[in-house]
Amino acid sequence: MRKLTLFFILTLVHLTSVHAQKINDSYRLNIQKASSEILIDGALDEQAWLDAEVATDFYMITPMDTSYAKVRTDVRMTYDEENLYLLVENFHAVEGPYMVESLRRDFNFGKNDNFLLFMDPFDDQTNGFSFGANAAGAQWDGIMYNGGSVDLSWDNKWTSKVTNYDDRWVFEAKIPFKSIRYKKGITEWGINFSRLDLKTTEKSGWAPVPRQFPSASLAYTGILVWDQAPPQTGANISVIPYALGGFRQNRFEGEEPMYRKEIGGDVKIGLTSSLNLDLTVNPDFSQVEVDRQVTNLDRFELFFPERRQFFLENGDLFASFGYERIRPFFSRRIGLNAPIQFGARLSGKINKNWRVGAMNMQTGKVEEEALPSQNFTVLAVQRRVGSRSNIGAIFVNKQALNYNPDPNSDKPIYSQFNRNLGLEYNLATSNNLWTGKVMGLKSFGPDNSDQGFVQAANLKYTSGNLTWEWQHEYVSESYTAEVGYVPRNGYFKINPTIGYRWFPKSEKILSHGPDISSTSYWNKSGEYTDNTSFIAYNVKWRSQSTFLLWTAYDYVMLQRPFDPTNYSGETLPAGSQHKWFAWGTEYTSKPQSILTYAFSTRMGGYYADGDRYNVTAELGYRFQPYVSITMSANYNRIILPEPWYTNTFWLIGPRVDVTMTNTLFFTAFVQYNEQIENINLNTRFQWRFKPASDLFLVYTDNYLPAPFYTKNRSLVLKFTYWWNL
């Protein structure tokens, strides 16, 4: 283990020093101060736009990345003392209407004609912001992290307008400097522009990006050259109060309605142009869309992403530490079982090389569960190394306050504290061909049994045709992360993967090729406990439809009792061994159609020499740009010996999105989950009466399917207002 870890460290450090120069630094767009006032109306008629330099001659990213784009896109940018302005002319190459889902904010990238701006105002090729719109005017905004990922849950204050003409659609936007963070005094920002035109199925970018990477990749940005350093924002304080009223009722327990009258809010203080202090008092997240339900046949806890605004800005400092299933900090552990009373978070960049994050949250007591008041503290620091790599450290502390449990009580007993300390090195070469990580974590608890550790590493290579990766993990049995997401411990894992793509000169097929992976686990005693070996063949058409055919072999030696239905309560014994073969398919139709569909199938063996059959399907229809209707269904049939016999689980979820304008939204969806015997109805009305200021009306019901009976019900009316001081 130590030799393997040392090998990874030496390899990643060596790769850090490779390719230090920025790749697209010859692509430069000069921005100068506006020579006239600008009205956001989607028209190129102000003198400031006529004087602005034009970014044009985009490069094709897909279907090929070796030529100029066939679809013409012209971009202009300018600024004044308070705002950054953007105007984009998206010319048509083929006659016909544009393709969009609806006017829903933060739309699905692949299902809309759209234009997106990606900017790196810290010039670190790792963090930034994205803004954009589809051809109907729906807005897109997100915070960028890890060099090319975009978190669309982030929301901020800006305005835009899209106007359609016979030969083009024009997108014009005003982004306040107070809504973004940027490095003080620098006159060059990383920037790129992305255009997706579904009629030609062409994705293009101003600065060229290899087709194996997303157009959001900050490693391939060009440069926005300012005529002078961007203006300082001065006093940058935003107050975002809310007020709500409503009720909730547990009808299943025969309780009376509990009425709610609450106020609270957030304060955002820009300490510098790149360092922000967030404060919250009595926050409420009732407007956040509920999680999509799934049929759970997994042995371990499922993961659902964070959606609450307070935890999102610079959230990668905390949430990206570790791996997908080894997270020392997972913000959803805070406030879901106990109310958050108040909290504070300091996050951002100190200078070009250093990022910091500090968070402290206080929750209240829950008397009926004997859950004490708890304090959560998270500290993170990140030091840039080379062009795009970094070294990071994290400290997580969960502390019970004034807690003296009675050991003779029948109520749950919680730990006094749990702490985690971690260090990791993240590799990302300037051309993004090599990425990787080496990490270590140590946990601390009230007694020695809580003091475990983690060591893990991976190295990935991604070229135009070939992708391969090696990953290994070790999690000790005593490792504990009460504020994290680590669903499994006491194992050593290795996971090599390899994939290859051919790009034929075909009018129909864009790419095709295989993927092969193998994931193996050993327990603390060195026993071989799990293996999944997977082979798949992928086909992607130029129309953007995709097909996947796969087969897999599974072996499991259970480490603890497990109910293979997660429903009956009857379990297979620990130590029992199970193996099976399975195969399946996946297909997604082309996104240009008004009617879209997708399906996946799975058939083969299962635990206890049983069989499992699964079909998942989704059907979508849109009356663009105002209505999008989606029906999804998941069917599982599990055939097992006694005492389980045959079980079938349906999961059905119709959804309707109605977007009357790009500021007035209505969403309704139903989730019928046979496995947990629940029907969930959720409706949400949102009126964005001013940028980032909203009125929400949210109604939720949960029903028992048979006999049909209301289990619980809630109604919330919430008003939020974004006020810049």
Side-chain angles (χ1 to χ4, degrees):
M1 171 64 71
R2 291 181 178 176
K3 291 182 179 179
L4 186 61
T5 302
L6 180 60
F7 168 78
F8 267 85
I9 293 174
L10 293 175
T11 302
L12 298 187
V13 170
H14 169 72
L15 290 171
T16 298
S17 61
V18 180
H19 306 298
Q21 185 179 0
K22 194 169 183 178
I23 296 170
N24 285 330
D25 58 1
S26 61
Y27 292 85
R28 308 173 78 86
L29 175 64
N30 295 290
I31 182 173
Q32 62 184 15
K33 198 167 186 178
S35 57
S36 67
E37 291 188 4
I38 294 177
L39 176 65
I40 304 302
D41 56 2
L44 198 159
D45 54 6
E46 289 96 349
Q47 187 62 41
W49 291 131
L50 299 176
D51 294 338
E53 188 171 313
V54 182
T56 189
D57 295 331
F58 278 39
Y59 283 84
M60 191 184 300
I61 301 174
T62 60
M64 304 297 291
D65 60 0
T66 56
S67 66
Y68 284 105
K70 296 178 180 179
V71 181
R72 177 184 164 191
T73 310
D74 291 349
V75 182
R76 294 170 171 85
M77 296 188 73
T78 186
Y79 72 98
D80 58 24
E81 289 298 320
E82 296 182 350
N83 304 292
L84 178 65
Y85 296 93
L86 172 74
L87 187 137
V88 187
E89 294 180 281
N90 300 278
F91 291 89
H92 299 312
V94 177
E95 292 185 359
Y98 54 70
M99 305 290 180
V100 298
E101 286 180 293
S102 65
L103 294 168
R104 178 168 59 90
R105 190 181 185 87
D106 296 331
F107 46 82
N108 184 311
F109 171 82
K111 295 183 178 181
N112 293 262
D113 284 331
N114 67 69
F115 173 90
L116 302 179
L117 159 69
F118 305 113
M119 59 182 176
D120 172 13
F122 310 111
D123 195 32
D124 63 2
Q125 302 178 67
T126 304
N127 304 282
F129 301 90
S130 179
F131 296 89
N134 69 12
Q139 290 185 333
W140 156 300
D141 58 357
I143 192 166
M144 301 188 67
Y145 63 98
N146 287 351
S149 300
V150 182
D151 188 342
L152 294 175
S153 300
W154 180 82
D155 200 5
N156 220 303
K157 191 172 185 178
W158 62 292
T159 56
S160 67
K161 174 70 175 179
V162 166
T163 302
N164 281 270
Y165 301 91
D166 291 339
D167 63 336
R168 68 196 188 281
W169 60 276
V170 176
F171 166 51
E172 189 172 18
K174 178 175 71 173
I175 305 168
F177 286 113
K178 289 186 176 183
S179 294
I180 58 176
R181 312 284 174 254
Y182 51 94
K183 184 181 176 184
K184 179 181 178 181
I186 65 170
T187 56
E188 294 187 351
W189 291 7
I191 201 159
N192 208 354
F193 313 111
S194 170
R195 169 88 183 275
L196 179 62
D197 184 78
L198 289 177
K199 291 192 293 293
T200 60
T201 70
E202 179 184 271
K203 181 172 72 170
S204 58
W206 170 60
V209 179
R211 61 189 169 194
Q212 70 265 32
F213 301 123
S215 55
S217 178
L218 295 180
Y220 289 90
T221 57
I223 297 176
L224 182 67
V225 183
W226 296 77
D227 60 349
Q228 55 184 318
Q232 294 302 296
T233 56
N236 187 0
I237 301 175
S238 299
V239 179
I240 314 168
Y242 80 84
L244 70 81
F247 77 90
R248 57 181 173 226
Q249 182 182 16
N250 187 337
R251 291 194 167 192
F252 189 76
E253 300 292 339
E255 297 178 358
E256 293 297 318
M258 297 176 59
Y259 294 95
R260 302 177 61 190
K261 297 178 183 178
E262 298 176 17
I263 60 172
D266 299 338
V267 177
K268 302 175 75 70
I269 304 172
L271 302 179
T272 70
S273 59
S274 58
L275 188 65
N276 202 64
L277 175 64
D278 291 274
L279 307 172
T280 188
V281 177
N282 191 31
D284 173 82
F285 306 106
S286 58
Q287 82 283 359
V288 176
E289 187 173 293
V290 300
D291 294 318
R292 296 295 184 91
Q293 295 185 20
V294 297
T295 300
N296 181 13
L297 298 174
D298 201 282
R299 288 179 289 153
F300 306 101
E301 178 190 16
L302 299 179
F303 179 84
F304 294 95
E306 178 63 85
R307 300 175 184 271
R308 297 172 292 178
Q309 276 286 318
F310 181 82
F311 294 99
L312 296 179
E313 186 170 346
N314 290 309
D316 66 290
L317 269 168
F318 312 107
S320 294
F321 200 100
Y323 285 106
E324 182 177 331
R325 296 176 72 86
I326 305 177
R327 300 172 186 257
F329 176 71
F330 179 36
S331 58
R332 284 183 66 122
R333 301 292 187 205
I334 304 174
L336 289 187
N337 297 320
I340 297 175
Q341 296 175 332
F342 54 84
R345 186 187 61 182
L346 175 70
S347 63
K349 295 184 74 75
I350 299 176
N351 54 40
K352 184 176 182 178
N353 293 322
W354 287 94
R355 294 177 73 206
V356 296
M359 183 188 303
N360 186 269
M361 306 295 292
Q362 181 68 46
T363 62
K365 293 182 179 181
V366 180
E367 296 289 353
E368 56 270 25
E369 298 179 17
L371 180 63
S373 176
Q374 294 178 318
N375 184 266
F376 300 82
T377 299
V378 191
L379 304 175
V381 63
Q382 198 175 85
R383 174 65 162 85
R384 180 179 176 183
V385 179
S387 58
R388 300 181 61 238
S389 304
N390 63 71
I391 296 174
I394 194 169
F395 173 73
V396 184
N397 182 55
K398 173 186 175 183
Q399 187 84 41
L401 303 180
N402 301 317
Y403 182 50
N404 297 295
D406 180 0
N408 299 317
S409 172
D410 59 354
K411 292 185 177 181
I413 296 179
Y414 303 91
S415 63
Q416 293 281 357
F417 68 87
N418 176 250
R419 295 172 187 138
N420 266 246
L421 182 64
L423 183 69
E424 70 176 18
Y425 171 74
N426 294 283
L427 166 74
T429 58
S430 62
N431 58 10
N432 218 38
L433 291 181
W434 292 93
T435 56
K437 176 182 291 192
V438 174
M439 61 164 289
L441 292 166
K442 184 77 170 68
S443 65
F444 304 88
D447 55 68
N448 292 332
S449 63
D450 297 329
Q451 298 183 21
F453 66 96
V454 171
Q455 193 284 313
N458 81 294
L459 182 63
K460 183 177 182 179
Y461 174 77
T462 307
S463 71
N465 301 94
L466 176 67
T467 300
W468 64 261
E469 181 178 12
W470 169 277
Q471 181 171 334
H472 70 263
E473 302 172 1
Y474 173 74
V475 180
S476 72
E477 189 173 32
S478 57
Y479 177 73
T480 307
E482 293 184 8
V483 198
Y485 176 75
V486 186
R488 181 172 184 168
N489 57 12
Y491 72 87
F492 175 69
K493 166 189 168 183
I494 62 171
N495 177 209
T497 64
I498 187 168
Y500 195 87
R501 294 292 182 274
W502 287 278
F503 293 87
K505 294 181 179 179
S506 167
E507 295 183 358
K508 299 290 186 181
I509 296 177
L510 174 62
S511 66
H512 63 94
D515 289 318
I516 303 172
S517 72
S518 180
T519 305
S520 299
Y521 289 83
W522 290 261
N523 65 16
K524 64 174 184 177
S525 302
E527 294 179 293
Y528 189 56
T529 64
D530 299 73
N531 175 261
T532 298
S533 296
F534 179 87
I535 301 175
Y537 203 89
N538 302 264
V539 180
K540 185 171 184 178
W541 283 269
R542 286 182 179 265
S543 66
Q544 302 301 305
S545 59
T546 61
F547 176 75
L548 170 71
L549 174 66
W550 63 267
T551 184
Y553 165 79
D554 282 270
Y555 166 77
V556 176
M557 182 173 72
L558 290 173
Q559 301 300 289
R560 56 183 58 87
F562 172 62
D563 176 4
T565 67
N566 271 339
Y567 173 80
S568 69
E570 301 289 343
T571 59
L572 294 164
S576 60
Q577 299 183 42
H578 312 268
K579 52 187 175 182
W580 63 82
F581 286 92
W583 69 278
T585 61
E586 296 179 13
Y587 179 79
T588 302
S589 69
K590 62 182 183 180
Q592 303 94 315
S593 300
I594 297 296
L595 176 67
T596 59
Y597 58 94
F599 67 83
S600 67
T601 65
R602 186 265 190 209
M603 59 184 64
Y606 196 56
Y607 292 92
D609 294 324
D611 293 293
R612 178 186 167 204
Y613 302 91
N614 169 254
V615 178
T616 300
E618 181 175 282
L619 184 67
Y621 192 86
R622 58 181 185 263
F623 302 90
Q624 62 180 31
Y626 302 110
V627 180
S628 175
I629 302 173
T630 305
M631 168 62 81
S632 60
N634 183 308
Y635 173 75
N636 277 279
R637 180 178 176 85
I638 301 173
I639 303 172
L640 294 167
E642 60 175 330
W644 301 277
Y645 301 105
T646 298
N647 292 268
T648 60
F649 299 123
W650 279 98
L651 178 64
I652 301 174
R655 177 188 178 102
V656 178
D657 283 294
V658 180
T659 53
M660 290 151 271
T661 70
N662 62 358
T663 61
L664 202 61
F665 315 98
F666 175 76
T667 300
F669 64 90
V670 177
Q671 299 179 98
Y672 166 58
N673 191 331
E674 188 175 12
Q675 187 184 37
I676 63 173
E677 298 181 344
N678 187 70
I679 299 175
N680 171 255
L681 168 65
N682 184 270
T683 62
R684 185 178 69 162
F685 172 83
Q686 178 186 359
W687 174 32
R688 175 145 288 190
F689 57 91
K690 283 190 175 182
S693 300
D694 299 280
L695 181 70
F696 294 96
L697 180 64
V698 182
Y699 177 77
T700 304
D701 259 350
N702 284 287
Y703 302 94
L704 189 69
F708 191 77
Y709 184 82
T710 304
K711 294 196 288 187
N712 53 69
R713 173 172 293 166
S714 68
L715 177 68
V716 174
L717 179 65
K718 182 176 180 181
F719 171 86
T720 65
Y721 187 79
W722 190 300
W723 182 24
N724 284 336
L725 301 182

